[in-house]
């Protein structure tokens, strides 16, 4: 295994720049043996280890002032079983690389979020999700995984082998061990027809059941200070017969959604009084479009404008009340909000710490442009969401602690018992995990 990195490269920050840390050592394992050796060495010396991915979480989940383990170079081999539609990859593989690998074999993940920069381990450990009434978070696609526990034991887990660990480790915040390998259940490659259209918020809420149930994937974005939303649906179709022209993709997804939007955010940050007008212009400027494309290329879009984010999973029937509360909060803030609010939907699942455990969910994600005040906004919405039974996304900012979260997860005590067994020396904890999971 590569040795300790020099101090000049020990500093780390996440994508948003709101979390920073300096490790005492950087570990870059290239094999399973390297990972087990590092864990056993840390157990012997009493040091702590945090495995990190691509830094797309907004919380301090990856922060450590001890040993940082980077899995980019970990090579456990890639195995693709086309007939059974299974793929096994190292846990440090990015979603972008995985999507290209699957496409080359005529396969795809059934669903994705809109960002593909995360590692597989990071994405599933925090409950990353897309949207679609028939789909849970990405962790529900995991067929098996390999975990190195706090004692250096290697556990290969599935529904048939160590099923309790499997039920917990698919969303575990890295608290149970180091994920080194993941097997994912895939589907045959497919084409999506994307339809994006502006609409009034109230009309969308009135037709919500038919919108969510009537499409494979549905979501919408509400523009603060307006009554307008942008609705996005994706549905499976047999042929890629309506591809988006390259110039239109560049215009919409690069120039308008990144370059122009970044300029508008900078202007709104410099002159906050302009924010409502900017939001209104943005809502009215979006036009309807339909196009087809390879599934992952429709699901995922470039995100170059930096922001911080909070997201709450709510019981689906609580969405309207949550949005009513959110609109009152936005109107009463002493500062302005520059980002639209994203609303998505998922199916129920049985993963112990999944936001969707045991219930169909509506996710409300609120954002703020970097450099703008956000904490009063986020905290106020958290009060609304928590009162409605909301569960905070593990990779997004929130201020909940273990005591308040325990009541939100029916299998919380089971997770804690398993955590004590798999990490008896507390190798994998950090201040953030101590707050949200307990010591």
């Amino acid at each position: 295994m590569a040795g300790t990195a020099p101090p000049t490269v020990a500093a780390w920050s996440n994508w948003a720049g709101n979390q920073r840390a300096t490790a005492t050592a950087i570990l870059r394992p290239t094999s399973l043996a390297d990972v087990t050796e590092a864990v056993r060495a840390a157990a012997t010396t009493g040091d702590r280890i945090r495995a990190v991915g691509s830094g797309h979480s907004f919380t301090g989940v990856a922060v450590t002032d001890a040993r940082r383990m980077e899995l980019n170079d970990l090579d456990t081999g890639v195995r693709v079983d086309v007939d059974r539609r299974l793929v096994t990859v190292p846990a440090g593989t990015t979603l972008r690389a995985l999507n290209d690998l699957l496409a080359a074999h005529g396969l795809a993940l059934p669903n994705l979020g809109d960002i593909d920069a995360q590692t597989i381990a990071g994405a599933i450990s925090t409950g990353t999700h897309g949207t679609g009434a028939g789909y849970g978070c990405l962790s529900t696609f995991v067929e098996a995984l390999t975990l190195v526990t706090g004692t250096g034991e290697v556990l290969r887990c599935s529904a048939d082998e160590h099923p309790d660990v499997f039920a917990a480790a698919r969303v575990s915040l890295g608290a149970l061990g180091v994920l080194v390998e993941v097997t994912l259940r895939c589907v045959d490659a497919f084409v999506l027809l994307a339809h994006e259209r502006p609409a009034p918020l109230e009309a969308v809420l009135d037709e919500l059941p038919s919108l969510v149930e009537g499409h494979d994937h549905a979501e919408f974005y509400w523009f603060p200070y307006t009554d307008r939303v942008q609705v996005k649906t994706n549905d499976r179709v047999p042929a890629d017969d309506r591809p988006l022209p390259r110039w239109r993709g560049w215009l919409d997804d690069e120039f308008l959604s990144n370059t122009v939007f970044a300029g508008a955010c900078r202007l709104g940050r410099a002159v906050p009084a302009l924010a409502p007008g900017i939001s209104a212009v943005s809502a009215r400027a979006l036009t309807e479009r339909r196009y087809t494309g390879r599934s992952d290329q429709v699901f995922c879009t470039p995100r170059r404008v930096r922001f911080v984010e909070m997201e709450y999973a709510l019981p689906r029937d609580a969405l309207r009340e949550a949005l009513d509360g959110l609109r009152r909060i936005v109107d009463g803030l002493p500062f302005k909000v520059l980002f639209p609010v994203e609303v998505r939907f998922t199916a129920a699942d049985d993963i112990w710490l999944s936001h969707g455990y045991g219930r169909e969910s509506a996710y409300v994600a609120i954002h703020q442009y970097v450099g703008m005040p956000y904490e009063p906004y986020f905290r106020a919405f958290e009060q609304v969401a928590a009162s409605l039974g909301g569960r905070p996304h593990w990779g997004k900012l929130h201020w909940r602690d273990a005591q308040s979260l325990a009541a939100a997860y029916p299998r919380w005590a089971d997770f804690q018992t398993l955590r004590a067994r798999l990490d008896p020396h507390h190798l994998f904890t950090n201040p953030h995990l101590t707050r949200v999971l307990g010591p």
Side-chain angles (χ1 to χ4, degrees):
M1 180 169 57
T4 300
T8 54
V9 295
W12 171 91
S13 68
N14 65 343
W15 176 83
N18 67 310
Q19 303 289 345
R20 299 180 182 276
T22 301
T24 58
I26 301 176
L27 309 175
R28 297 189 176 96
T30 60
S31 67
L32 174 59
D34 286 346
V35 176
T36 57
E37 177 187 341
V39 170
R40 288 169 180 164
T44 299
T45 60
D47 287 331
R48 291 179 175 175
I49 289 179
R50 284 303 288 164
V52 302
S54 55
H56 265 266
S57 289
F58 298 89
T59 71
V61 66
V63 168
T64 183
D65 57 3
R67 302 184 182 190
R68 183 168 78 241
M69 180 177 284
E70 300 177 353
L71 302 179
N72 313 61
D73 299 326
L74 179 63
D75 184 5
T76 58
V78 172
R79 300 181 295 282
V80 181
D81 187 332
V82 174
D83 293 335
R84 297 175 61 204
R85 297 177 181 82
L86 296 175
V87 60
T88 302
V89 293
T93 305
T94 64
L95 289 173
R96 183 179 299 122
L98 174 65
N99 291 333
D100 289 340
L101 169 70
L102 293 177
H105 289 85
L107 299 172
L109 287 181
N111 197 11
L112 287 164
D114 56 8
I115 296 175
D116 59 6
Q118 305 101 317
T119 63
I120 301 298
I124 67 173
S125 293
T126 54
T128 296
H129 63 95
T131 191
Y135 302 89
C137 64
L138 270 59
S139 303
T140 61
F141 308 148
V142 176
E143 190 79 7
L145 56 86
T146 301
L147 182 77
V148 177
T149 73
T151 61
E153 181 183 10
V154 178
L155 294 182
R156 303 187 190 279
C157 308
S158 67
D160 300 318
E161 191 173 9
H162 303 293
D164 57 339
V165 180
F166 185 64
R170 283 177 289 166
V171 178
S172 68
L173 287 76
L176 303 181
V178 179
L179 279 172
V180 293
E181 186 177 77
V182 180
T183 299
L184 294 151
R185 184 176 62 259
C186 305
V187 296
D188 292 334
F190 60 97
V191 173
L192 286 173
L193 169 63
H195 182 200
E196 302 168 7
R197 60 181 174 87
L201 173 60
E202 285 303 318
V204 170
L205 292 177
D206 287 342
E207 66 178 22
L208 199 60
S210 61
L211 175 69
V212 175
E213 301 295 338
H215 295 277
D216 294 329
H217 312 274
E219 64 183 313
F220 65 87
Y221 291 82
W222 169 61
F223 292 85
Y225 314 107
T226 79
D227 61 356
R228 306 291 293 176
V229 301
Q230 180 79 349
V231 180
K232 301 178 69 173
T233 59
N234 294 322
D235 292 292
R236 285 155 176 73
V237 291
D240 187 5
D241 56 4
R242 195 171 180 169
L244 192 66
R246 182 171 297 181
W247 68 267
R248 180 69 189 271
W250 173 85
L251 178 66
D252 291 347
D253 299 328
E254 285 289 350
F255 183 65
L256 293 178
S257 296
N258 284 291
T259 304
V260 172
F261 184 56
C265 286
R266 288 194 295 269
L267 178 61
R269 184 172 62 187
V271 188
L274 297 178
I278 292 171
S279 189
V281 169
S282 298
R284 293 289 178 179
L286 291 171
T287 58
E288 185 171 9
R289 67 174 184 172
R290 285 186 174 90
Y291 64 94
T292 57
R294 196 177 93 182
S295 60
D296 62 284
Q297 295 176 350
V298 173
F299 284 133
C300 305
T301 53
R303 289 285 185 268
R304 310 195 201 289
V305 183
R306 306 282 170 141
F307 55 86
V308 291
E309 180 179 358
M310 165 184 279
E311 185 172 32
Y312 257 83
L314 297 155
R316 200 175 294 174
D317 59 7
L319 176 60
R320 184 185 287 270
E321 187 175 351
L323 289 178
D324 287 345
L326 179 61
R327 296 177 76 179
R328 289 192 295 270
I329 289 167
V330 169
D331 289 342
L333 289 171
F335 53 84
K336 300 302 180 183
V337 176
L338 298 179
F339 260 74
V341 172
E342 184 179 20
V343 179
R344 295 180 285 176
F345 307 90
T346 64
D349 64 56
D350 61 354
I351 302 171
W352 291 359
L353 290 194
S354 168
H355 324 112
Y357 181 87
R359 72 185 189 198
E360 296 178 334
S361 298
Y363 280 82
V364 178
I366 62 175
H367 313 71
Q368 183 67 302
Y369 184 51
V370 292
M372 289 287 290
Y374 65 86
E375 188 170 332
Y377 174 35
F378 287 12
R379 281 184 178 270
F381 180 65
E382 180 163 73
Q383 289 185 354
V384 171
S387 72
L388 296 172
R391 297 167 178 161
H393 190 299
W394 293 117
K396 314 293 175 69
L397 289 171
H398 66 92
W399 285 267
R400 302 281 289 275
D401 60 18
Q403 182 177 358
S404 74
L405 289 165
Y409 291 92
R411 302 301 298 270
W412 185 268
D414 296 320
F415 184 92
Q416 297 293 359
T417 299
L418 189 65
R419 182 187 179 200
R421 174 162 65 86
L422 298 184
D423 185 22
H425 308 297
H426 313 295
L427 296 187
F428 304 120
T429 194
N430 69 0
H432 178 75
L433 263 64
T434 297
R435 176 170 67 85
V436 300
L437 296 180

